[in-house]
Amino acid sequence: QIKTVFRDMGAKSFSSAKNFAVMAAIYSGSECMIESYRARNDVYNSVAAGCITGGTLAVRTGPKGMAAGCAGFAAFSAAIDWYMHKDD
């Protein structure tokens, strides 16, 4: 029974790692492209990258889901960017 538990735990951990890697790749790639295009490093880059990431990940849910994903990821990205740069 313990072997089965560890095998299932390993499979779920690998699945979570793959999902996180996809999310990080979409976010990092889109932020890098936006920053290269705009030639600026500010909060708007991370907000736009968050919107693109959320919309892309929710593409199967339709337009409403994509809008919600865009808004959620954009807000989270803005909050994290504000927290990381609040002392600057």
Side-chain angles (χ1 to χ4, degrees):
Q1 174 147 354
I2 291 177
K3 282 184 182 181
T4 306
V5 169
F6 281 125
R7 191 177 310 121
D8 289 343
M9 187 173 63
K12 289 191 187 275
S13 297
F14 185 70
S15 175
S16 294
K18 284 192 307 186
N19 291 336
F20 186 76
V22 168
M23 181 185 65
I26 294 169
Y27 180 82
S28 298
S30 60
E31 185 179 32
C32 186
M33 286 190 298
I34 293 166
E35 190 172 320
S36 295
Y37 179 75
R38 293 186 68 230
R40 291 188 187 111
N41 186 4
D42 56 10
V43 69
Y44 300 111
N45 295 341
S46 59
V47 169
C51 181
I52 290 169
T53 303
T56 302
L57 293 176
V59 74
R60 293 183 182 151
T61 63
K64 286 184 183 177
M66 289 175 67
C70 170
F73 267 83
F76 182 73
S77 296
I80 293 297
D81 202 68
W82 173 80
Y83 180 76
M84 296 299 285
H85 298 290
K86 69 180 178 180
D87 296 329
D88 290 346

